[in-house]
Amino acid sequence: MELSILSAATFLLQQATLSNVLLFLAIFLLVADYVKRRPPKNFPPGPFSWPFIGCLPSFDLRQLDDVMGKLSEKYGEIIGMHIGSMKLVIINGLQIVKEAYVHQGDSFAGRPAPPLIKDLYKEHGVINSNGHNWKQQRRFALSTLRNFGMGKRSLEERINEELRYLTDTIEEEKGQPFDPHFYINSSVSNIICAITFGDRFDYQDPEFQEILHIFGVTSKLHTNLTAQLYNVFPRIMKHLPGSHQQLFRYQNTLEMYVRKSILKHREHWNPSEPRDFIDCYLTEIEKFKDDPTSCFDEENLVQSVLDLFIAGTESTSATLRWAILYMAKYADIQEKVQEEIDRVIGHARQPLMENKKSMPYINAVIHEVQRFTNIFSFAVPRQSTSDATVGGFHLPKGTVVIPNFTSLLFDKNEWKTPDTFNPENFLENGEFKKSEAFVSFSLGNRVCIGEQFAKMELFLYLATLLQRFSFKAPTNGNFNSSKYKRGLPNYPLPYKICAVSRC
């Protein structure tokens, strides 16, 4: 009997052709892929999922807001899909986002680690870590930033000192057209540099500018096609050229820069007199070096510094460049802000945070810039840490969830004029009015740790700049204030502006 079975198997192998074998393998892989990616019961509906790559062909990254809007019209507020083998859900609308991120915050406190993110950042630091490590890194970062002045006068003094450098530099342009990107980016970065590295840098410092350049380019490279394909075919893409390879080179350069700074800090480190974030972290490493549950080590320190640098530079810098652009476009709004500044602060002294409560109009303008420019159309993804039900649909543990902030910031039911730049969206009877739909700093357990820091910067920077200058488009200029480059964050296309001194 065994001999006859063996003979039959041998006969079949002899008769098999290469094409038959390949056909069998193709069918087997397709079936295995379908079984692996078959949506669970009561999973949200979504677009057609192609074998192996899932819904990736449905996305035009250059028109992502429009794509998501059309998908929401077709499938509703909760859209289920696959990207490669990853289960992904897009949630739209204030109530659904709150249901997931606020009412079930613990269930959506995870951070997914797709292959590109995992290989780049190794789940270290504050942004891309999870579980016990994330809790330790976040708690330490928050307490240390607070100790170094987040929300306190000492940080306010640092910002105002940096603003004096910035306004003096802009004054040297003598009202002639210039691109504000370089100055704004360098100035904002110097604030977080003073906290993390202990010192500011000259705007022309070549090493400083190289780091800023890398951060700016990196934010765009993450949205490129080859970077997305890396998440679907990591083993193949590792050996192919593309923007993902540049990301790895840049990450290595940034890590080497931070490690060099850590080495310098160790030479003059005094635990009783911490100078900055790195000093405080080195103390934490030493304090818990014998604790097996501690996650304080140099790898987490390096990535935490980079995370703070990203969080403390890119979004604030982009928002300020948008604000300057809109002040030039809407001269009547700029004049109203300046009237408020002149009345409350005058010209003789720098703006202070204590002035903010008496200045509802500039506060409304800042919020409207954040709302209307929508620099983070989609929040940094989160991952469900347990089975959950959202909007009546089942989201199994491990589902990646991304809220569509565009659906909140342009909701016709939440704003007076959602599609028009209008500070009145945040004003009622002349007083500033908050809105639940304003989610520029995200919400829930992973809300931005630098929210208060960023709010302070935005107020002091815009108030100081508009106190000193009136921003106008060049007489022969032609900039489009609605166009942007997609990245993390979305930022305006390069433009030139005239800063006319008001002194």
Side-chain angles (χ1 to χ4, degrees):
M1 179 66 178
E2 290 179 1
L3 185 61
S4 61
I5 293 175
L6 182 61
S7 299
T10 303
F11 174 77
L12 288 174
L13 287 172
Q14 289 172 343
Q15 297 302 312
T17 64
L18 178 61
S19 60
N20 288 338
V21 171
L22 292 176
L23 179 62
F24 170 79
L25 285 174
I27 293 172
F28 173 79
L29 290 173
L30 286 169
V31 172
D33 180 71
Y34 171 76
V35 171
K36 184 179 180 180
R37 292 189 299 105
R38 183 170 52 189
K41 186 178 180 181
N42 199 30
F43 193 69
F48 176 75
S49 184
W50 294 87
F52 308 115
I53 59 176
C55 301
L56 198 59
S58 302
F59 294 97
D60 182 350
L61 294 176
R62 296 165 298 180
Q63 304 288 334
L64 201 55
D65 292 334
D66 293 337
V67 170
M68 286 303 168
K70 291 176 182 177
L71 288 176
S72 181
E73 289 176 6
K74 184 174 182 179
Y75 298 107
E77 292 184 315
I78 307 180
I79 307 165
M81 58 187 74
H82 280 83
I83 301 294
S85 60
M86 179 176 67
K87 290 189 291 292
L88 175 67
V89 168
I90 306 292
I91 54 178
N92 299 270
L94 178 60
Q95 297 309 314
I96 294 296
V97 172
K98 284 176 62 179
E99 181 183 347
Y101 278 17
V102 178
H103 304 316
Q104 302 182 69
D106 290 340
S107 296
F108 293 96
R111 185 74 80 202
L116 181 63
I117 298 299
K118 188 173 184 178
D119 291 347
L120 275 172
Y121 308 122
K122 312 294 190 301
E123 297 187 73
H124 292 136
V126 182
I127 296 177
N128 292 296
S129 55
N130 278 298
H132 178 61
N133 186 29
W134 167 66
K135 290 179 180 178
Q136 282 199 341
Q137 305 306 319
R138 182 181 175 87
R139 188 181 300 116
F140 173 80
L142 277 171
S143 64
T144 305
L145 287 174
R146 198 172 291 118
N147 290 337
F148 276 100
M150 187 172 75
K152 296 183 180 180
R153 185 65 183 268
S154 57
L155 178 58
E156 185 174 354
E157 290 169 352
R158 288 177 189 236
I159 294 172
N160 277 330
E161 180 185 5
E162 183 60 41
L163 275 165
R164 286 192 285 274
Y165 287 105
L166 175 64
T167 52
D168 288 348
T169 303
I170 293 176
E171 197 78 59
E172 293 173 2
E173 297 291 343
K174 301 186 184 302
Q176 296 303 305
F178 71 99
D179 185 343
H181 180 188
F182 175 81
Y183 295 149
I184 295 292
N185 214 39
S186 301
S187 179
V188 170
S189 296
N190 262 333
I191 306 298
I192 199 66
C193 282
I195 294 172
T196 54
F197 299 119
D199 201 2
R200 69 179 299 277
F201 295 87
D202 184 85
Y203 294 168
Q204 305 297 333
D205 185 291
E207 193 170 35
F208 179 48
Q209 287 306 319
E210 181 189 11
I211 297 302
L212 291 182
H213 170 74
I214 290 175
F215 276 120
V217 173
T218 298
S219 70
K220 291 174 282 185
L221 293 178
H222 273 284
T223 63
N224 283 4
L225 179 60
T226 55
Q228 303 305 313
L229 288 174
Y230 188 99
N231 289 326
V232 182
F233 307 110
R235 293 181 181 177
I236 297 174
M237 294 301 293
K238 276 183 180 179
H239 306 288
L240 296 179
S243 58
H244 58 291
Q245 300 291 4
Q246 196 172 357
L247 277 170
F248 285 107
R249 288 193 295 272
Y250 280 161
Q251 178 66 13
N252 184 56
T253 300
L254 293 172
E255 288 181 4
M256 286 176 60
Y257 179 82
V258 177
R259 290 185 196 281
K260 185 171 69 173
S261 181
I262 293 171
L263 196 60
K264 289 181 180 178
H265 274 69
R266 287 186 186 276
E267 292 175 3
H268 306 286
W269 169 53
N270 183 350
S272 61
E273 296 180 5
R275 297 161 294 181
D276 48 39
F277 182 89
I278 292 178
D279 272 359
C280 292
Y281 203 105
L282 290 175
T283 301
E284 211 73 2
I285 292 175
E286 183 65 23
K287 186 192 301 183
F288 294 102
K289 64 180 180 182
D290 297 322
D291 184 352
T293 66
S294 172
C295 298
F296 293 104
D297 53 38
E298 186 166 308
E299 298 304 315
N300 270 306
L301 169 56
V302 169
Q303 193 55 49
S304 290
V305 169
L306 293 176
D307 287 347
L308 290 175
F309 203 95
I310 293 170
T313 300
E314 291 299 316
S315 59
T316 302
S317 173
T319 302
L320 287 169
R321 280 144 53 202
W322 279 116
I324 291 171
L325 192 59
Y326 279 101
M327 291 303 94
K329 181 176 182 179
Y330 300 103
D332 57 328
I333 293 176
Q334 180 174 203
E335 288 174 7
K336 286 182 181 179
V337 173
Q338 289 172 330
E339 287 172 5
E340 188 176 65
I341 292 171
D342 295 346
R343 184 178 70 255
V344 177
I345 302 170
H347 293 276
R349 62 180 179 85
Q350 281 189 278
L352 300 174
M353 284 306 296
E354 65 188 34
N355 301 132
K356 185 178 178 181
K357 61 180 179 294
S358 303
M359 304 177 72
Y361 194 75
I362 191 174
N363 198 13
V365 167
I366 291 169
H367 280 72
E368 181 65 357
V369 169
Q370 291 177 284
R371 183 198 73 83
F372 193 71
T373 58
N374 190 22
I375 61 173
F376 289 108
S377 306
F378 300 89
V380 180
R382 298 191 198 176
Q383 189 170 39
S384 58
T385 56
S386 60
D387 289 355
T389 300
V390 177
F393 291 103
H394 175 61
L395 275 58
K397 179 180 178 180
T399 301
V400 176
V401 179
I402 302 178
N404 178 8
F405 282 172
T406 304
S407 68
L408 280 69
L409 298 177
F410 291 85
D411 188 339
K412 291 179 173 57
N413 297 317
E414 297 290 339
W415 308 101
K416 298 173 184 176
T417 58
D419 299 317
T420 305
F421 182 81
N422 180 13
E424 293 294 328
N425 281 311
F426 290 94
L427 292 169
E428 190 171 274
N429 299 322
E431 296 298 321
F432 179 76
K433 181 186 177 184
K434 293 181 180 180
S435 171
E436 278 192 303
F438 180 77
V439 290
S440 289
F441 296 100
S442 194
L443 67 170
N445 292 20
R446 284 212 183 229
V447 67
C448 176
I449 63 171
E451 179 177 355
Q452 297 306 315
F453 177 47
K455 286 180 176 178
M456 180 182 288
E457 282 188 303
L458 290 173
F459 173 76
L460 292 175
Y461 266 77
L462 193 60
T464 301
L465 289 171
L466 292 177
Q467 180 192 51
R468 288 282 299 270
F469 306 102
S470 289
F471 293 98
K472 300 179 180 181
T475 53
N476 59 347
N478 180 26
F479 56 71
N480 190 324
S481 60
S482 63
K483 295 213 171 173
Y484 61 87
K485 286 188 177 181
R486 182 169 291 284
L488 298 171
N490 302 325
Y491 55 93
L493 294 174
Y495 66 87
K496 289 191 175 183
I497 202 80
C498 295
V500 180
S501 177
R502 298 184 70 224
C503 297

